[in-house]
């Protein structure tokens, strides 16, 4: 097992002038190196960089000589080099890169060569950052997430390093265009939606603000899937993002950790528990640099791949012809990192998902602990661990961090339970991202018992201690209240209560009178009829003797009887129901095992406290807090919208807003300036022209740049209500068809309605919605009566790069989830930053965006979160009366106007009062009339372009709160207790 005293990329020694971690960082470049010519690739201008320094090679633990000090840093080095030297360096990589033939300098080859050139430049600060954290032994945050939706790295890296112009000019000298070269980069398929994009924004802000922090994730070979839209709707094929290699990663074969599954737990002679046997794999690190903006801080994203040691290849089986058996261990290990969120309908799928989550937790914690031990040296004290390490669990996927950290501290490091628990609780924190039941993960206890037997033991003990805490807080007088709290708060669900607690829930039972007491009563009664005192005395004495003998006997019999019948007398609540699965409630474990629980928007955090985890909030109110999400203004305005970015800087008078978004508010004083209005609309039009080309390329549809661009792009899910949007479009289309040409032009503003997003492969209803949207598009877009007045577009395979094109061009953006169901959202923030006006419900971050940009600059409709439960109850009781317009649009869909596909199931989900998949759980019918009336107000506002432009400017001006820089400052101060570590 390798320790992690090595940095993201090891410094090269004199004997290996181009050496890095196994897998390489690309031939030379600005690597710290010694010897003749020491690792500076041709074209970088050795004369300018020849500045001899001493550095420590962590791998070899020897002093090495190098031409550049880590403190020299970037961007100053590159700014002094110039575009000609950069062009020479790119050419060097193009000539010697092993992936391509040297004959033809294609845009793809240019991209890989350019990426390697930039990576060379990043290595100086990457190593310097690691060395500085190590030297100063700072407290470091570690962000664990199953998703990191990074987007393209090239434009982001050169943008953060402020060398975009130099690279554009260098590529021009080589006959290439930067935009064309950058477009060759596939999006890294390491995420699906907002969860992963948020994690990536956080990494950008952490580096930009100089916070010591790393990200940890899995290196998925195929990601989620590549979405193809056919006549049958969405189809999925494997994502091929790694097909041509990923030039931004450094494979760290020297940094790997064992990860175990199955086996059994035994107690050793040392008194410790030992997890032995089972299936063993190896997690191998792949490092990706995360450069900050206008800073030399370059943090690390460490991704794990999975394999097995060479000795696990069954050579004998292979030679005997049993090739499948020979590869079995290797394939079992490799498939862990094949797919993001493998289907979990099957037992195998469930096991694979759990393996993924444990691999992330185990490898990352082993790495973190190795780094802690290395930095502590001889002064190692485990009590210091929480003062040096902060672990943030991004949603419930990394929950196994809690029992895994406990296991390592107790079983490997020899700490007691109380010591390990204290350390774990002070180290780990949890971000809740959703109130949806399917996302508050519940794992089968039986599956976990087989796969992770030691962790189940630890979880059982945590659960038992939690039960004792609950009993201690609420007492035993009110058993109904106690029962309620245990049902809500236990980590293990449908699992027997401990015997000591079960006795609190014994039902009262009528007890029969003992025979001794009966006989005594009869004897005493007979005394009353006897006059003879002497006889009476004898009878009394007999009664007393009999009573004593019989009572002693009966007491013993009664105890035995009570023990025999106790199970019958226990409340059924204390026993598991064999008809129901036994599960581990991961979210409850997160709350119990961490020191902080945060929601991601003000309304969401209140729902977390008052509903989702109310009982926990009552017990530990100080654990709960809010951290409203944010997005990085670098990627989401500065780089993806250069036209608007230049405009903002011009009118504000500087580009300081990129690091201090509060300065965006200065735009408010120009909100009515006609010159700004004119330039603002021109910038928007230029962005729309790019999207016109993108739509034609991706779908074949031709749309007008003069129409309003109305966009809803996000994961396809019923609660996000793409169905409400498309039904609104269908209603609009139907009304258009009922009018003359003149009436249509007068009544409706031209619109291009753009959708994008993936439906999970096994989510049938979501895939029906995709099919429905594409069928509506096929009908509407070919209707010559309608022309450019209405177009519907579904952009396939939505990802970060598509978002970077669509968001700057958008004019209306739809965030229309059922109130109380969207934790926050982050795309709403990106749209607002780019001067797009939102239509939405009071849900998630919409609430705060509306407050910041002004109620008059936000189109609001729909029921509010506090009304939802009552509205669903009204539906269940059959009291809901649908709006006639809603019934009209459903009937129109069923008429077959959009093709032969039957939408009975989809429309049926909006009908009835009860039943799975019916009864309009997401209240599309309830909000439909409010929605279409609000859309009429949108049309009215868009006709007044002066008003619309003013609203657009004020959306950008009011979006300063939603920078991820603000969010990260709050996490650092309130949860992680870390401080900036600025390289000297």
């Amino acid at each position: 097992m390798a320790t992690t005293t090595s940095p993201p990329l090891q410094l090269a020694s004199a004997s290996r002038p181009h050496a890095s971690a196994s897998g390489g960082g690309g031939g030379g470049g600005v690597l710290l190196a010694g010897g003749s010519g020491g690792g500076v690739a041709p074209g970088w201008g050795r004369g300018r960089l020849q500045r001899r320094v001493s550095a420590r090679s962590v791998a070899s633990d020897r002093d090495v000589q190098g031409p550049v000090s880590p403190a020299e840093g970037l961007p100053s080095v590159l700014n002094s080099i110039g575009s000609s030297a950069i062009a020479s360096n790119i050419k060097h990589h193009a000539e010697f890169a092993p992936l391509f033939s040297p004959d033809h300098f294609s845009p793809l080859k240019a991209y890989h060569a350019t990426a390697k050139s930039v990576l060379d430049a990043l290595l100086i600060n990457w190593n310097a950052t690691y060395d500085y954290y190590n030297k100063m032994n700072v407290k470091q945050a570690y962000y664990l997430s199953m998703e990191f939706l990074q987007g393209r790295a090239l434009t982001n890296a050169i943008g953060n390093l402020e060398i975009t112009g130099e690279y554009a000019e260098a590529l021009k000298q080589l006959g290439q265009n930067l935009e064309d070269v950058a477009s060759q980069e596939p999006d890294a398929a390491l995420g699906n939606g907002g969860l992963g994009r948020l994690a990536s924004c956080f990494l950008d802000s952490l580096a930009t603000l100089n916070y010591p922090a790393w990200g940890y994730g899995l290196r998925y070979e195929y990601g989620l899937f590549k979405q193809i839209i056919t006549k049958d709707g969405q189809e999925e094929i494997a994502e091929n993002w790694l097909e041509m290699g990923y030039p931004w990663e450094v494979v760290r074969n020297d940094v790997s950790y064992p990860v175990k599954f199955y086996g059994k737990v035994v107690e050793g002679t040392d008194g410790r528990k030992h997890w032995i046997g089972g299936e063993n794999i190896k997690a191998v690190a792949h490092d990706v640099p995360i450069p900050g903006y206008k800073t030399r801080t370059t943090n690390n994203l460490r991704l794990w791949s999975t394999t097995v040691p060479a000795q696990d290849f069954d050579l004998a089986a292979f030679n005997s012809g049993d090739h499948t058996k020979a590869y079995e261990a290797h394939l079992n290990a490799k498939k862990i990192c094949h797919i993001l969120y493998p289907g979990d309908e099957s037992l195998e799928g469930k096991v694979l998902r759990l393996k993924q989550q444990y691999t992330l937790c185990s490898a990352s914690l082993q790495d973190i602990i190795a780094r802690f031990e290395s930095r502590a040296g001889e002064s190692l004290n485990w009590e210091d661990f929480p003062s040096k390490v902060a672990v943030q669990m991004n949603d419930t996927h990394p929950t196994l961090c809690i029992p895994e950290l406990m296991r390592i501290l107790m079983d490997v490091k020899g700490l007691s339970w109380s010591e390990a628990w204290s350390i774990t609780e002070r180290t780990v924190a949890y971000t809740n991202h959703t109130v949806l039941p399917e996302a508050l993960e519940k794992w089968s206890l039986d599956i976990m018992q087989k796969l992770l037997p030691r962790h189940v033991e630890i979880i059982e003990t945590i659960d038992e201690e939690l039960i004792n805490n609950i009993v201690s807080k609420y007492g035993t007088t009110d058993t109904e209240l106690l029962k309620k709290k245990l049902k809500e708060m236990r980590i293990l669900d449908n699992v027997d209560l401990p015997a000591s607690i079960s006795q609190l829930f014994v039902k009262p039972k009528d007890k029969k009178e003992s025979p001794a007491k009966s006989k005594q009563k009869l004897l005493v009664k007979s005394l009353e009829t006897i006059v003879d005192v002497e006889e009476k005395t004898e009878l009394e004495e007999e009664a007393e003797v009999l009573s004593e003998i019989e009572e002693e006997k009966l007491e013993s019999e009664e105890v035995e009887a009570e023990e025999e019948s106790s199970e019958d007398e226990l409340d059924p609540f204390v026993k598991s129901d064999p008809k129901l699965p036994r599960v581990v409630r991961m979210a409850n474990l997160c709350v119990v095992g961490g020191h902080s629980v945060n929601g991601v928007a003000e309304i969401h955090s209140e729902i977390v406290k008052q509903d989702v985890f109310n009982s926990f909030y009552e017990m530990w109110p100080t654990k709960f807090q809010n951290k409203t999400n944010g997005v990085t203004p670098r990627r989401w305005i500065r780089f993806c919208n250069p036209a608007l970015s230049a405009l903002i800087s011009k009118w504000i008078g500087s580009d300081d807003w990129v690091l201090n978004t509060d300065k965006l508010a200065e735009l408010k004083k120009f909100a009515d300036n006609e010159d700004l209005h004119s330039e603002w609309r021109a910038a928007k039009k230029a962005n729309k022209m790019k999207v016109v080309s993108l739509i034609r390329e991706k779908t074949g549809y031709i749309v007008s740049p003069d129409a309003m661009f109305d966009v809803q792009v996000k994961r396809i899910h019923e609660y996000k209500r793409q169905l409400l949007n498309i039904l609104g479009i269908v209603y609009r289309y139907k009304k258009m068809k009922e009018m003359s040409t003149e009436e249509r032009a007068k009544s409706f503003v031209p619109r291009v309605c753009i959708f994008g997003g993936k439906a999970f492969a096994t989510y049938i209803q979501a895939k029906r919605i995709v099919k429905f949207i594409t069928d509506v598009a096929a009908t509407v877009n070919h209707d010559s009566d309608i022309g450019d007045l209405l177009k519907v577009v579904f952009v396939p395979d939505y990802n970060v790069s598509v978002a970077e094109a669509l968001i700057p061009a958008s004019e209306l953006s739809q965030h229309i989830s059922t109130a109380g169901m969207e934790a926050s959202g982050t795309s709403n923030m990106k749209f607002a930053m780019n001067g797009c006006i939102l239509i939405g419900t009071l849900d998630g971050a919409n609430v705060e965006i509306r407050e910041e940009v002004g109620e008059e600059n936000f189109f609001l409709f729909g029921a509010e979160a506090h009304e939802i439960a009552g509205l669903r109850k009204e539906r269940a009781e059959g009291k809901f009366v649908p709006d006639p317009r809603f019934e009209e649009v459903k009937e129109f869909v069923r008429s077959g106007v959009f093709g032969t596909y039957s939408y009975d199931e989809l429309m049926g989900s909006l009908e009835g009062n009860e039943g799975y998949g019916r009864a309009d759980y997401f209240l599309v019918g309830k909000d439909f009339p409010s929605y279409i009336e609000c859309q009429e107000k949108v049309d009215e506002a868009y006709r007044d372009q002066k008003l619309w432009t003013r609203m657009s400017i004020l959306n950008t001006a009011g979006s300063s709160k939603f920078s991820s820089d603000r969010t990260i400052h709050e996490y650092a101060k309130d949860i992680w207790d870390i401080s900036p570590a600025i390289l000297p």
Side-chain angles (χ1 to χ4, degrees):
M1 179 182 89
T3 63
T4 54
T5 53
S6 49
L9 188 68
Q10 294 173 3
L11 311 185
S13 66
S15 61
R16 295 162 59 216
H18 301 305
S20 63
S22 300
V30 191
L31 258 173
L32 299 186
S36 177
V40 180
W44 277 122
R46 288 190 185 88
R48 301 181 199 179
L49 297 182
Q50 289 299 322
R51 185 171 174 280
R52 299 194 64 76
V53 298
S54 289
R56 173 74 60 181
S57 173
V58 182
S60 60
D61 200 35
R62 291 177 296 162
D63 284 333
V64 295
Q65 300 297 311
V68 183
S69 165
E72 185 76 26
L74 291 173
S76 58
V77 170
L78 283 179
N79 287 342
S80 68
I81 291 175
S83 58
S84 295
I86 292 173
S88 180
N89 183 251
I90 293 171
K91 187 177 179 183
H92 167 79
H93 279 293
E95 289 174 353
F96 293 99
L99 289 174
F100 303 98
S101 161
D103 300 337
H104 178 52
F105 191 57
S106 66
L108 180 60
K109 184 174 182 178
Y111 158 67
H112 278 268
T114 303
K116 287 296 184 184
S117 170
V118 177
L119 186 64
D120 284 349
L122 288 173
L123 292 177
I124 296 175
N125 286 346
W126 202 6
N127 281 320
T129 302
Y130 177 88
D131 288 342
Y132 186 65
Y133 293 167
N134 224 32
K135 176 184 175 184
M136 301 304 293
N137 193 17
V138 294
K139 182 174 184 181
Q140 190 164 332
Y142 299 96
Y143 197 81
L144 272 64
S145 178
M146 287 294 284
E147 296 187 42
F148 287 94
L149 203 56
Q150 290 288 92
R152 289 171 175 161
L154 176 57
T155 49
N156 190 69
I158 60 177
N160 275 355
L161 295 171
E162 297 184 282
I163 49 176
T164 301
E166 288 85 345
Y167 268 86
E169 178 59 32
L171 286 166
K172 186 177 179 182
Q173 292 175 24
L174 295 170
Q176 297 288 338
N177 175 276
L178 174 59
E179 191 172 338
D180 293 338
V181 169
S183 70
Q184 301 298 310
E185 179 177 358
D187 279 34
L190 300 172
N192 175 36
L195 186 78
R197 187 51 239 165
L198 178 77
S200 295
C201 282
F202 280 3
L203 292 186
D204 176 90
S205 286
L206 285 163
T208 296
L209 301 175
N210 301 297
Y211 282 114
W214 279 21
Y216 280 105
L218 295 181
R219 182 183 180 270
Y220 303 106
E221 189 171 349
Y222 301 113
L224 189 69
F225 56 79
K226 184 183 285 291
Q227 181 192 52
I228 296 175
I229 300 298
T230 70
K231 62 180 178 61
D232 297 316
Q234 171 182 299
E235 293 185 8
E236 305 87 24
I237 61 171
E239 175 63 69
N240 62 346
W241 74 285
L242 286 172
E243 196 170 64
M244 301 302 291
Y246 188 54
W248 301 102
E249 70 179 359
V250 177
V251 184
R252 299 301 306 273
N253 289 311
D254 60 319
V255 180
S256 64
Y257 296 95
V259 178
K260 181 187 290 294
F261 306 111
Y262 304 108
K264 63 181 179 179
V265 180
V266 299
E267 188 168 329
T269 54
D270 55 3
R272 298 186 198 175
K273 293 292 185 76
H274 296 273
W275 184 12
I276 61 172
E279 176 185 330
N280 296 285
I281 67 163
K282 182 171 72 170
V284 180
H286 297 245
D287 288 342
V288 179
I290 308 294
Y293 176 71
K294 284 192 175 183
T295 177
R296 288 167 40 229
T297 298
T298 303
N299 285 332
N300 194 38
L301 170 59
R302 179 157 282 178
L303 303 170
W304 301 106
S305 67
T306 45
T307 186
V308 290
Q311 60 263 29
D312 285 359
F313 177 74
D314 192 338
L315 189 61
F318 190 87
N319 285 332
S320 67
D322 194 347
H323 301 157
T324 301
K325 182 183 176 185
Y327 276 110
E328 185 176 9
H330 182 75
L331 292 175
N332 281 338
K334 291 286 286 183
K335 71 182 179 183
I336 292 171
C337 288
H338 272 339
I339 301 291
L340 169 65
Y341 303 141
D344 59 356
E345 300 297 313
S346 65
L347 174 62
E348 292 78 7
K350 289 180 174 67
V351 170
L352 188 55
R353 278 210 193 186
L354 195 55
K355 280 186 171 183
Q356 286 184 334
Q357 294 186 4
Y358 179 62
T359 298
L360 170 64
C361 295
S362 181
S364 301
L365 282 172
Q366 289 180 71
D367 197 37
I368 291 165
I369 288 170
R371 192 172 301 109
F372 169 76
E373 291 176 315
S374 171
R375 290 178 181 177
E378 293 180 1
S379 60
L380 178 67
N381 181 352
W382 285 105
E383 268 300 303
D384 293 338
F385 192 77
S387 66
K388 295 297 180 181
V389 171
V391 173
Q392 189 69 33
M393 300 182 296
N394 192 28
D395 217 344
T396 53
H397 306 125
T399 306
L400 289 168
C401 278
I402 294 166
E404 175 66 359
L405 183 53
M406 291 290 292
R407 182 191 72 81
I408 295 172
L409 292 175
M410 291 190 300
D411 299 358
V412 181
K413 305 303 177 182
L415 275 65
S416 68
W417 174 275
S418 59
E419 290 170 330
W421 181 251
S422 174
I423 291 167
T424 298
E425 194 176 25
R426 288 179 288 144
T427 301
V428 176
Y430 162 52
T431 299
N432 173 272
H433 282 280
T434 183
V435 300
L436 294 178
E438 67 263 29
L440 293 171
E441 292 182 296
K442 294 181 180 180
W443 280 106
S444 163
L445 180 61
D446 295 331
I447 291 175
M448 192 178 287
Q449 178 76 59
K450 292 176 183 175
L451 194 70
L452 304 168
R454 178 60 178 134
H455 297 76
V456 168
E457 288 184 351
I458 293 169
I459 291 169
E460 286 172 342
T461 305
I462 297 170
D463 184 62
E464 190 164 346
E465 293 205 349
L466 172 63
I467 290 168
N468 292 331
N469 285 338
I470 295 168
V471 173
S472 176
K473 178 173 177 61
Y474 292 101
T476 58
T477 306
D478 189 344
T479 55
E480 285 305 310
L481 174 63
L482 186 58
K483 185 193 298 186
K484 177 178 180 291
K485 295 301 178 182
L486 289 169
K487 280 182 177 179
E488 291 174 355
M489 298 175 71
R490 282 195 68 186
I491 296 164
L492 301 177
D493 189 26
N494 194 37
V495 174
D496 292 358
L497 276 171
S500 59
I501 305 299
S502 297
Q503 295 306 310
L504 299 174
F505 299 96
V506 175
K507 287 183 176 181
K509 187 173 181 181
D510 293 334
K511 294 184 179 180
K512 294 179 181 178
E513 196 172 56
S514 71
K517 285 184 180 178
S518 300
K519 190 169 184 179
Q520 184 183 21
K521 283 183 179 180
L522 287 170
L523 287 168
V524 172
K525 191 174 182 181
S526 67
L527 287 174
E528 296 172 0
T529 61
I530 300 174
V531 179
D532 187 356
V533 176
E534 220 174 282
E535 188 178 350
K536 181 178 178 182
T537 304
E538 289 175 4
L539 287 169
E540 283 176 343
E541 288 174 358
E542 185 181 349
E544 286 173 7
V545 171
L546 282 170
S547 177
E548 288 174 8
I549 295 170
E550 291 294 333
E551 282 197 349
E552 284 179 11
K553 182 180 177 184
L554 264 295
E555 275 177 16
S556 174
E557 290 175 359
E558 282 171 1
V559 169
E560 290 176 10
E562 278 181 14
E563 288 176 354
E564 288 174 7
S565 64
S566 61
E567 287 192 16
D568 296 331
E569 296 171 0
L570 288 176
D571 189 316
F573 154 72
V574 306
K575 288 291 184 182
S576 60
D577 184 343
K579 297 176 183 176
L580 297 174
R582 302 186 305 155
V583 298
V584 182
R585 297 192 283 197
M586 306 302 270
N588 288 21
L589 179 55
C590 286
V591 176
V592 174
H595 65 88
S596 173
V597 180
N598 72 278
V600 289
E602 286 177 2
I603 185 174
H604 170 239
S605 294
E606 283 305 305
I607 292 171
V608 164
K609 290 190 292 187
Q610 303 305 328
D611 184 13
V612 182
F613 298 126
N614 180 249
S615 291
F616 290 107
Y617 176 62
E618 289 178 356
M619 181 172 280
W620 299 303
T622 57
K623 271 193 183 189
F624 290 80
Q625 52 183 293
N626 175 59
K627 293 289 170 278
T628 297
N629 282 343
V631 300
T632 167
R634 270 75 63 186
R635 184 179 287 271
W636 293 110
I637 309 183
R638 179 72 161 182
F639 305 148
C640 78
N641 198 345
L644 183 64
S645 177
L647 202 54
I648 294 169
S649 296
K650 172 188 171 182
W651 284 84
I652 288 177
S654 75
D655 64 356
D656 292 348
W657 59 270
V658 183
L659 281 172
N660 180 10
T661 52
D662 286 346
K663 290 187 175 293
L664 289 173
E666 294 180 22
L667 286 171
K668 292 178 182 178
K669 60 189 176 188
F670 306 115
D672 294 304
N673 187 291
E674 291 186 5
D675 290 336
L676 176 57
H677 277 220
S678 178
E679 293 173 15
W680 198 270
R681 284 194 291 267
K684 183 65 73 174
K685 183 69 172 286
N687 289 324
K688 289 172 74 175
M689 291 301 298
K690 293 178 183 176
V691 170
V692 169
S693 299
L694 181 144
I695 288 172
R696 186 169 188 175
E697 174 194 340
K698 298 277 188 182
T699 70
Y701 290 132
I702 299 172
V703 300
S704 169
D706 297 320
M708 178 204 297
F709 278 21
D710 170 356
V711 179
Q712 187 181 20
V713 283
K714 52 187 76 226
R715 180 167 50 99
I716 309 296
H717 196 291
E718 286 174 281
Y719 91 84
K720 292 180 183 288
R721 298 203 297 192
Q722 286 91 351
L723 185 54
L724 175 59
N725 185 351
I726 192 63
L727 287 175
I729 292 168
V730 168
Y731 182 80
R732 188 181 187 89
Y733 175 64
K734 184 176 186 294
K735 293 300 149 189
M736 285 181 177
K737 292 294 287 181
E738 293 169 355
M739 295 178 180
S740 66
T741 303
E742 294 75 18
E743 288 174 322
R744 284 188 208 118
K746 185 177 178 181
S747 301
F748 297 100
V749 164
R751 287 205 201 193
V752 178
C753 300
I754 302 170
F755 293 84
K758 294 178 180 178
F760 192 66
T762 57
Y763 190 175
I764 302 303
Q765 194 74 317
K767 294 178 80 169
R768 285 191 184 118
I769 293 169
V770 175
K771 167 67 173 164
F772 183 36
I773 293 168
T774 57
D775 281 352
V776 171
T779 299
V780 171
N781 296 350
H782 293 98
D783 191 326
S784 57
D785 291 341
I786 303 301
D788 286 337
L789 201 55
L790 181 63
K791 296 290 184 186
V792 181
V793 176
F794 191 100
V795 179
D797 206 39
Y798 178 68
N799 57 22
V800 176
S801 296
V802 173
E804 287 173 337
L806 285 179
I807 290 172
S810 301
E811 293 169 288
L812 180 75
S813 180
Q814 306 217 22
H815 302 272
I816 57 178
S817 53
T818 310
M821 302 203 73
E822 183 72 85
S824 169
T826 51
S827 66
N828 45 8
M829 301 169 185
K830 298 164 195 169
F831 282 103
M833 279 185 174
N834 283 273
C836 181
I837 302 161
L838 274 55
I839 180 172
T841 52
L842 282 178
D843 198 26
N846 284 0
V847 177
E848 292 162 77
I849 291 173
R850 183 168 175 262
E851 290 171 356
E852 296 293 319
V853 306
E855 294 178 8
E856 69 280 9
N857 301 309
F858 184 104
F859 294 104
L860 177 67
F861 76 95
E864 296 184 30
H866 65 88
E867 301 175 288
I868 300 303
L871 290 169
R872 286 180 177 145
K873 184 172 182 288
E874 177 187 83
R875 187 74 187 234
E877 293 171 351
K879 296 176 182 177
F880 173 68
V881 179
D883 188 278
R885 292 166 290 184
F886 185 56
E887 296 303 290
E888 179 185 348
V889 76
K890 287 191 296 178
E891 192 60 34
F892 188 58
V893 171
R894 284 183 164 126
S895 71
V897 67
F898 300 114
T900 58
Y901 184 87
S902 172
Y903 284 106
D904 287 343
E905 290 289 337
L906 191 58
M907 295 300 104
S909 71
L910 306 175
E911 297 170 341
N913 298 316
E914 59 184 357
Y916 179 74
R918 300 182 72 85
D920 194 14
Y921 183 77
F922 301 99
L923 303 179
V924 174
K926 174 64 181 177
D927 281 350
F928 184 77
S930 174
Y931 176 70
I932 60 174
E933 288 160 14
C934 191
Q935 287 285 15
E936 290 169 6
K937 294 176 184 176
V938 172
D939 275 13
E940 183 182 346
Y942 194 77
R943 287 191 185 94
D944 184 346
Q945 279 293 293
K946 183 176 181 180
L947 170 65
W948 189 272
T949 305
R950 185 178 191 278
M951 293 171 71
S952 175
I953 293 168
L954 290 173
N955 264 267
T956 298
S959 63
S960 63
K961 175 181 177 179
F962 305 105
S963 166
S964 51
D965 294 353
R966 185 266 314 152
T967 315
I968 285 301
H969 275 311
E970 292 179 6
Y971 271 98
K973 176 177 175 288
D974 301 334
I975 298 178
W976 302 333
D977 190 27
I978 61 172
S979 302
I982 303 172
L983 274 67

